[in-house]
C-alpha cells in the first residue's frame, strides 16, 4: 500500500523531467555534461553553467537540439555574485530551478607535507564553497516557488574512503555528505530532497590529468596507476562511466518522495561497498 505522500508506482512509469528546470554546474565537460544530456532526453530544460561562457554556450546549443530549452552561462561556483546572477537569469528565462546538480570540481594531488595552502584553499573553495553557494541559491528558489525540488551533489568514493595525495579533495568530498544531510533535514518541509552521488574513477579530463601526475608522485608507470591505484579495489577492473553516473542522477532527480533524501549512492564497480 502506498503511503500518503508517495505516488503509487506503476510498471509503466518512465523517468520524466518534463517541465522541470535543471541547473548543472561544471556542465561543459565530463560527468556533468552527460547528466545534462540525459536530463534533456528526459524532457528537462537545462542550464549549462561552467567557468567559461563560450564552452557553456556551445554545450547548451548542442543540447538544445534535443528539443528542450537551454541556457549556457558562465558561473564560477566560488563567486557569490556570479552564482546569484546565474540563478536570477535562470529564473527570468526558464523559471525557478527544480533540480540542482552541483558537480563542478578540480583535482590537485600532492603529499600533505608539500601541499601548498593556496592549493588547499582553491580546492576547498570549488567543492565546498561551490556546493554551499549553489545549494543556497537553489533552496531559496525552491522555497519561493512552492514546488520544492531535488539537489544532487557530486561526491566521490572519496566521500567514504581516503587515498594518498588527496588531502583537500577527500576532506571536501566527505564535507559534501554533511552539507547534504543538513539540507535534507532543513528542506524536508519544503519538499526539497538532497542526495550525493559517489562515483569511482571515470575517464574524464579530470582523471586523465591525474594519471601522469600520480605516476610521477608515486614513482610508478601510468599503467600501474590505472591498474594498481585507480581500479585495484573494483570487482571487475572497470572504470565507472559517465552514463553510470547520469543514470544515478536521473534516479535522484525523478524520485517522487522524501523517502530518498540525505542519502549517498556509491557508483564505483564495487570499489567501495557500504
Ligand atoms: P571534468 O574536469 O571533466 O569537469 C569539471 C568541470 O568543472 C569542468 O568543465 C570545469 O571547467 C568545471 N569547473 C572547475 N572549476 C569550476 C568553478 N570554479 N566554477 C565552475 N565550474 C568549474 O571533471 P569530471 O570528472 O566530470 O568531474 C565532475 C565532478 O565529479 C567533480 O566534482 C569531481 O570531483 C567528481 N568526480 C569525478 C570522478 C572521476 O573519476 N572523474 C570521480 C568521482 C567524483
Amino acid at each position: 500500500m502506498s503511503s500518503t505522500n508517495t505516488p503509487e508506482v506503476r510498471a509503466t512509469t518512465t523517468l520524466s523531467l518534463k517541465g522541470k528546470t535543471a541547473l548543472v554546474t561544471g556542465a561543459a565537460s565530463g560527468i556533468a555534461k552527460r547528466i545534462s544530456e540525459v536530463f534533456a532526453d528526459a524532457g528537462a530544460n537545462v542550464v549549462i553553467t561552467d567557468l567559461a561562457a563560450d564552452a557553456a554556450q556551445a554545450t547548451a546549443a548542442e543540447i538544445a537540439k534535443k528539443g528542450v530549452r537551454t541556457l549556457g552561462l558562465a558561473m564560477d561556483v566560488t563567486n557569490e555574485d556570479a552564482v546569484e546572477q546565474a540563478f536570477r537569469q535562470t529564473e527570468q528565462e526558464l523559471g525557478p530551478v527544480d533540480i540542482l546538480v552541483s558537480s563542478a570540481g578540480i583535482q590537485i594531488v600532492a603529499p600533505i607535507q608539500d601541499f601548498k595552502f593556496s592549493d588547499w584553499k582553491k580546492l576547498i573553495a570549488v567543492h565546498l564553497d561551490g556546493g554551499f553557494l549553489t545549494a543556497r541559491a537553489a533552496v531559496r528558489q525552491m522555497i519561493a516557488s512552492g514546488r520544492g525540488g531535488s539537489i544532487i551533489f557530486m561526491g566521490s568514493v572519496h566521500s567514504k574512503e581516503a587515498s594518498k595525495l588527496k588531502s583537500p579533495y577527500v576532506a571536501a568530498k566527505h564535507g559534501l555528505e554533511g552539507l547534504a544531510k543538513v539540507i535534507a533535514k532543513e528542506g524536508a518541509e519544503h519538499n526539497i530532497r538532497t542526495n550525493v552521488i559517489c562515483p569511482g574513477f571515470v575517464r574524464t579530463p579530470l582523471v586523465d590529468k591525474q594519471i601522469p601526475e600520480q605516476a610521477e608522485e608515486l614513482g610508478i608507470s601510468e599503467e600501474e596507476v590505472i591498474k594498481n591505484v585507480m581500479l585495484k579495489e573494483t570487482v571487475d577492473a572497470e572504470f565507472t562511466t559517465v552514463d553510470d553516473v547520469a543514470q544515478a542522477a536521473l534516479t535522484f532527480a525523478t524520485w517522487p518522495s522524501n523517502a530518498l533524501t540525505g542519502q549517498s549512492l556509491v557508483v564505483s564497480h564495487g570499489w567501495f561497498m557500504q
Side-chain angles (χ1 to χ4, degrees):
M1 206 168 82
S2 303
S3 70
T4 46
N5 73 345
T6 305
E8 188 185 342
V9 175
R10 295 174 192 276
T12 52
T13 298
T14 51
L15 299 179
S16 174
L17 294 175
K18 213 164 167 29
K20 304 283 186 194
T21 298
L23 187 148
V24 186
T25 76
S29 176
I31 292 171
K33 182 175 180 187
R34 187 66 192 130
I35 290 172
S36 303
E37 291 166 352
V38 168
F39 280 10
D41 285 334
N45 297 323
V46 187
V47 187
I48 305 296
T49 69
D50 210 301
L51 278 177
D54 52 352
Q57 284 161 6
T59 305
E62 222 176 276
I63 291 177
K65 291 181 192 150
K66 294 176 181 292
V68 296
R69 296 173 67 200
T70 64
L71 264 182
L73 302 177
M75 184 181 86
D76 178 343
V77 297
T78 67
N79 180 321
E80 183 177 15
D81 292 339
V83 171
E84 291 297 313
Q85 168 55 29
F87 273 79
R88 251 194 320 273
Q89 195 175 338
T90 298
E91 186 165 32
Q92 282 159 4
E93 299 196 28
L94 297 181
V97 168
D98 298 296
I99 302 156
L100 165 69
V101 180
S102 182
S103 181
I106 59 170
Q107 181 60 279
I108 304 170
V109 293
I112 191 154
Q113 65 272 26
D114 300 333
F115 229 107
K116 291 193 203 122
F117 188 36
S118 56
D119 282 341
W120 165 276
K121 284 194 276 197
K122 194 168 154 190
L123 197 145
I124 294 291
V126 175
H127 292 268
L128 281 182
D129 296 1
F132 162 72
L133 288 172
T134 55
R136 187 182 65 175
V139 164
R140 285 174 176 167
Q141 288 194 2
M142 288 168 181
I143 292 175
S145 73
R147 304 204 301 228
S150 174
I151 294 175
I152 300 164
F153 290 108
M154 200 53 62
S156 164
V157 165
H158 288 114
S159 301
K160 313 280 185 187
E161 283 273 9
S163 289
K164 288 177 179 173
L165 312 178
K166 296 188 175 176
S167 46
Y169 188 83
V170 171
K173 291 301 191 189
H174 275 65
L176 284 176
E177 290 224 325
L179 179 60
K181 288 177 188 172
V182 173
I183 300 171
K185 290 200 171 189
E186 293 182 2
E189 65 178 299
H190 305 289
N191 218 15
I192 297 169
R193 299 180 256 290
T194 309
N195 294 288
V196 185
I197 302 174
C198 301
F201 282 102
V202 184
R203 282 307 283 267
T204 65
L206 183 135
V207 160
D208 287 340
K209 180 173 160 281
Q210 274 176 71
I211 295 170
E213 288 172 356
Q214 290 212 26
E216 197 184 327
E217 287 284 357
L218 298 171
I220 57 178
S221 71
E222 293 188 17
E223 292 66 33
E224 284 170 319
V225 170
I226 292 173
K227 195 163 163 261
N228 298 333
V229 179
M230 293 184 164
L231 304 181
K232 183 166 181 243
E233 302 294 338
T234 62
V235 295
D236 53 10
E238 296 272 353
F239 277 99
T240 301
T241 67
V242 290
D243 282 280
D244 292 328
V245 184
Q247 185 67 44
L250 187 61
T251 302
F252 280 132
T254 53
W255 195 267
S257 75
N258 283 341
L260 199 55
T261 194
Q263 304 302 306
S264 57
L265 180 63
V266 181
V267 184
S268 73
H269 285 253
W271 167 10
F272 180 83
M273 299 190 190
Q274 324 226 35

